[in-house]
Amino acid sequence: MSEKIMMDVLQAVALFFLNPVFLATLLIAVAVGYFRVKRERRSFRVRLLPGWTELKRLVPESLGYALLLSLLICGAGLVVDPGWLVLFSATALVAILTFFFKWTSPVYFAGVATVGLLLLQRFSGDFTYRGWTPAAVDWSGDLTVTVPVLAGLFLIVEGFLISRHTTRYASPYLKETDRGLHAAVFQAKRIWLLPVLFLVPGDMISAYLPYWPQFTLGERAFSFIPVPVVIGFSQVARSVFPDALFPKMGQAVSWTGFAVVLIGISAIWMPILGWTGLAIGVICRAFLSILVAVRERRGRYVAAPRSAGVVIAGVLPDSPGEKMGLAPGECIRAVNGVPVSNEKELYDAIQINAAHCRLQVIDRDGEVRLMQQVLYRYDHHRLGVLVVR
């Protein structure tokens, strides 16, 4: 008996880790880090963060949210249709393989899965797979509440992830301006993997894994199934600094999610409101992405070269520059009393007195700051700043 239970558990774990979405997300995270490092080295001859950063942060940043979502889904009894869940995962897989992370929000997956299920019911209603058929889907039943509420919850989590875990990983690179100069722009391209426990009706799982956890309520049986949920985000900031832009975007996404959840709950009394809420979530999320992208394209570069001084595009972690509190967008006007206007002059001036390196910096607000940092032997070339050249 115990061996049978252990085998069922191992098979269930294998179902999660061999899920195409899980495997593809791992590969995509590695690829995103690889291309980011190549882009940074092409602009600055050095990378800002290691190439495995995206893979390393794939799950840890989102694991807490995944656990909370699983508790809410199971605790509230948000039962999802198995066919809808398969379409949701299939849409996510296709979306991440395109590398176009602007459209990898789970609310889009939910919308496409819903439309796909509707078309499947209309044109292939007699299709059957392991006891499931699209003809049995009730569009005014539990699905009316479950889908929009799930979409809203995913939006809330997406907003929190954007607010908390994008600014630090914004990758700077140089882009040619209309005047033929180079300015720094900042791209945040993140992907998160959430192992979420969903609740599906019937005994589809237990029919193949007899000891897989399930429960009954009245005459209905329910099973738990772990599914990897992917959340992607991509945005370029050029007219607003990342630490100002991305948190506001995250807040807007979260508030949209709260609204969708409330509308979804109201579907208990008026089913049509559930699908209205889902449509609102999809439209608002798309509108937000388009609005920010258009504004950033039309705005001026905030990290553009100046006639006097060296503009900072990025600061390497744990470097002397980070210890001095330097930030992207600030301008180093003088080093050890010597005015500088390019990267070579910057490091030549540092060597004058590396033991007590003194910088005159113009911050983002135009205020002058004086900073000093000891640079140890052989560290004069490692101030740790990426500059606009």
Side-chain angles (χ1 to χ4, degrees):
M1 179 69 71
S2 59
E3 293 182 359
K4 180 61 177 176
I5 294 175
M6 182 61 66
M7 286 299 299
D8 284 354
V9 171
L10 291 177
Q11 289 183 50
V13 172
L15 286 175
F16 177 85
F17 286 107
L18 295 179
N19 188 304
V21 175
F22 177 79
L23 297 176
T25 304
L26 295 181
L27 296 176
I28 295 298
V30 173
V32 169
Y34 171 76
F35 289 117
R36 173 184 57 78
V37 169
K38 285 192 65 176
R39 185 180 63 244
E40 291 173 352
R41 285 179 173 165
R42 189 164 53 245
S43 293
F44 307 106
R45 299 188 297 273
V46 66
R47 50 90 173 147
L48 190 65
L49 294 169
W52 44 263
T53 300
E54 284 78 4
L55 179 63
K56 181 180 178 182
R57 309 307 302 170
L58 184 64
V59 175
E61 292 175 349
S62 59
L63 184 58
Y65 297 109
L67 295 176
L68 183 58
L69 280 174
S70 299
L71 290 174
L72 289 174
I73 291 172
C74 298
L78 297 176
V79 182
V80 298
D81 181 82
W84 181 89
L85 192 56
V86 171
L87 290 173
F88 178 89
S89 296
T91 305
L93 179 61
V94 172
I96 61 175
L97 289 177
T98 65
F99 275 82
F100 196 63
F101 285 8
K102 283 184 178 295
W103 303 110
T104 51
S105 170
V107 70
Y108 300 142
F109 308 157
V112 172
T114 300
V115 173
L117 188 60
L118 181 63
L119 294 175
L120 193 62
Q121 185 184 63
R122 183 177 180 85
F123 298 105
S124 301
D126 56 348
F127 173 78
T128 301
Y129 181 74
R130 292 187 177 182
W132 178 85
T133 174
V137 176
D138 184 5
W139 292 99
S140 59
D142 295 340
L143 205 63
T144 311
V145 178
T146 298
V147 171
V149 170
L150 283 177
L153 291 174
F154 287 136
L155 277 174
I156 294 172
V157 171
E158 180 185 356
F160 281 121
L161 289 171
I162 294 172
S163 296
R164 299 184 59 184
H165 302 293
T166 53
T167 301
R168 179 183 175 187
Y169 303 102
S171 170
Y173 65 95
L174 298 180
K175 186 174 183 180
E176 188 173 348
T177 67
D178 295 335
R179 299 169 56 190
L181 303 174
H182 286 95
V185 297
F186 309 89
Q187 183 180 47
K189 196 163 191 175
R190 297 300 315 279
I191 185 170
W192 297 281
L193 186 67
L194 291 77
V196 178
L197 200 63
F198 285 90
L199 199 60
V200 297
D203 55 356
M204 293 180 61
I205 305 298
S206 60
Y208 300 91
L209 302 174
Y211 295 98
W212 184 249
Q214 63 172 323
F215 69 95
T216 57
L217 184 61
E219 297 181 353
R220 299 181 63 185
F222 302 92
S223 299
F224 300 99
I225 179 171
V227 175
V229 176
V230 179
I231 297 178
F233 174 77
S234 177
Q235 181 61 53
V236 173
R238 82 174 202 182
S239 64
V240 181
F241 288 107
D243 53 2
L245 176 63
F246 297 149
K248 289 183 179 179
M249 283 191 68
Q251 291 174 11
V253 172
S254 290
W255 281 116
T256 301
F258 281 115
V260 172
V261 168
L262 291 177
I263 297 174
I265 293 175
S266 66
I268 296 175
W269 301 279
M270 190 177 295
I272 190 63
L273 289 179
W275 306 123
T276 303
L278 178 61
I280 290 174
V282 172
I283 294 171
C284 288
R285 183 64 186 90
F287 176 77
L288 179 62
S289 292
I290 295 171
L291 178 65
V292 173
V294 170
R295 285 182 176 179
E296 289 303 301
R297 287 197 190 101
R298 292 179 177 177
R300 65 178 182 86
Y301 292 93
V302 291
R306 303 185 186 182
S307 57
V310 177
V311 177
I312 300 172
V315 182
L316 298 178
D318 302 319
S319 66
E322 185 181 59
K323 295 175 183 177
M324 297 172 77
L326 298 177
E330 295 185 328
C331 180
I332 302 175
R333 295 290 294 273
V335 180
N336 294 323
V338 179
V340 296
S341 58
N342 56 53
E343 189 175 16
K344 183 179 184 304
E345 292 179 359
L346 170 67
Y347 285 104
D348 286 345
I350 289 175
Q351 295 182 63
I352 294 175
N353 187 5
H356 297 284
C357 179
R358 296 184 300 276
L359 303 183
Q360 183 188 76
V361 179
I362 308 298
D363 65 18
R364 296 176 182 177
D365 299 322
E367 300 292 332
V368 178
R369 292 193 297 146
L370 297 176
M371 291 174 289
Q372 181 169 309
Q373 174 70 30
V374 175
L375 298 183
Y376 296 102
R377 189 181 182 187
Y378 305 121
D379 272 359
H380 64 274
H381 61 288
R382 290 188 60 251
L383 181 60
V385 296
L386 312 180
V387 301
V388 177
R389 300 194 304 270

